[in-house]
Amino acid sequence: MELITPAQIQPREDYYLALERGSILYFPSSPFALSEEEREVLRSTGLSSSSHHKNIAYRPAEDKITGFDPADVSDPHKLRGAMRSYSDRALAFLWKLLPRYMEKARIDFASFRPQEEEGRDLPAKKRNDLLHVDAFPTRPTRGDLILRFFTNIHPTKPRVWLTSDPMAALAPHYANGAGLAEAAKHPKGPLVGRMLGVFGAVEGKRSPYDRFMLSFHDYLKFNAEYQSACAKYRFHFPPDSAWMVFTDIVPHAVLSGRYALEQTVIVARGSLVGRENAPIEILQGLCGKPLA
Ligand SMILES: [Fe+2]
């Protein structure tokens, strides 16, 4: 597991392959400028206390922000402007470095993480300090991949991450225990899930892969043996640094830090340089059945 610092900001096959094999691309200082005013607008924003939100989210397609506490924001337009500006520049940067992925990528949300992660009081399933792979309950990927670009805008503190060995090493040991065979057996999902009206819309779009990844996310967080025995790599991302990683290939946890910005894109698995690196391919190889 490596941190790789691109020497030039231009597309290179080894950058794509590094990401797909579970490395982190790291930029010691942000590859695009963020004004001090934008940083201030963001850092003065609180999370909505009454809500279930973990972060403030920005939806580029709708130019909309959610998850903030209106009482804590003097000017929601400025907050939205700062999020829009970050999202625009992060996406432009991704186009510059990774055009092969961006050509068919789906643009997902950007987010801002205003709370200190150390000692944060969240239910186990939502805890960020336990190693996990990402899966989105509301936005199934059907085998495409979650690529996330992060920037630390804390003025003085690093953001501290823990990661572990990627899917290719992880899945052979843990996927069966997490119910891979069961997920592969029911291509349309458990009957009870299909009958629940509330989940009907999303559940109908979930492939066996999405259902497995959602349960794998929880399985890893609740597996004390995995959390303590797995290989661990610790990274300190200093103020103004940026990094990107496939968060469904690489198990990760955030130990401390606050004020991180992030933009997500969903990369079509057909865009990978090595398609065999996609988690869905690894899992299908293990269970011998199509998962999407
Ligand atoms: Fe995550």
Side-chain angles (χ1 to χ4, degrees):
M1 172 122 290
E2 279 184 280
L3 273 195
I4 291 173
T5 303
Q8 311 124 319
I9 304 306
Q10 59 184 49
R12 277 180 31 178
E13 188 166 305
D14 50 334
Y15 297 159
Y16 291 111
L17 278 171
L19 284 169
E20 292 169 20
R21 289 174 183 158
S23 289
I24 296 175
L25 291 192
Y26 171 65
F27 307 89
S29 62
S30 170
F32 48 85
L34 292 159
S35 74
E36 201 40 49
E37 194 196 346
E38 283 165 343
R39 290 168 196 257
E40 254 327 296
V41 167
L42 290 162
R43 290 191 295 237
S44 64
T45 301
L47 262 192
S48 171
S49 49
S50 60
S51 79
H52 57 279
H53 295 288
K54 269 169 76 177
N55 306 309
I56 291 165
Y58 173 72
R59 303 176 178 219
E62 299 151 65
D63 189 25
K64 192 178 156 193
I65 37 173
T66 54
F68 64 99
D69 192 336
D72 277 354
V73 178
S74 55
D75 189 343
H77 294 288
K78 267 194 180 164
L79 173 62
R80 186 177 60 168
M83 290 302 292
R84 182 197 303 127
S85 148
Y86 176 76
S87 173
D88 286 351
R89 279 178 282 174
L91 291 168
F93 175 67
L94 290 170
W95 267 106
K96 219 159 135 188
L97 189 69
L98 307 169
R100 178 191 174 105
Y101 289 166
M102 294 302 284
E103 270 156 26
K104 287 189 182 145
R106 295 200 300 282
I107 306 308
D108 198 74
F109 302 165
S111 66
F112 177 57
R113 295 127 193 268
Q115 295 206 348
E116 172 55 55
E117 296 289 350
E118 193 170 5
R120 200 170 165 184
D121 186 21
L122 286 167
K125 226 172 131 161
K126 289 193 170 184
R127 270 174 62 182
N128 295 329
D129 60 337
L130 296 172
L131 287 158
H132 65 281
V133 284
D134 283 350
F136 295 150
T138 57
R139 281 122 53 221
T141 73
R142 306 187 64 86
D144 293 334
L145 289 89
I146 301 172
L147 179 67
R148 307 189 106 167
F149 175 80
F150 298 88
T151 309
N152 179 7
I153 62 162
H154 196 287
T156 54
K157 273 188 76 172
R159 193 164 185 86
V160 180
W161 268 37
L162 209 56
T163 68
S164 187
D165 292 329
M167 265 295 202
L170 171 72
H173 291 287
Y174 291 98
N176 279 329
L180 178 61
E182 197 54 28
K185 225 187 281 170
H186 300 289
K188 292 193 172 151
L191 185 62
V192 61
R194 278 179 275 151
M195 287 173 72
L196 284 174
V198 215
F199 296 121
V202 182
E203 183 58 38
K205 287 184 201 151
R206 280 185 193 147
S207 61
Y209 172 75
D210 294 299
R211 281 188 292 274
F212 173 76
M213 289 298 280
L214 283 169
S215 58
F216 202 34
H217 165 276
D218 298 351
Y219 175 87
L220 293 176
K221 283 193 179 180
F222 286 108
N223 188 327
E225 182 271 327
Y226 171 70
Q227 294 291 330
S228 72
C230 71
K232 293 179 187 70
Y233 313 95
R234 203 181 169 100
F235 299 106
H236 289 240
F237 299 109
D240 199 46
S241 67
W243 62 103
M244 64 170 88
V245 63
F246 278 115
T247 55
D248 44 10
I249 291 182
V250 178
H252 56 281
V254 190
L255 301 185
S256 67
R258 69 186 291 193
Y259 304 136
L261 278 159
E262 172 269 338
Q263 171 70 53
T264 299
V265 295
I266 306 299
V267 174
R269 69 183 192 271
S271 304
L272 299 188
V273 171
R275 205 175 152 138
E276 70 282 2
N277 296 317
I280 191 169
E281 301 288 344
I282 295 164
L283 296 168
Q284 288 179 161
L286 289 170
C287 70
K289 293 209 171 77
L291 293 171

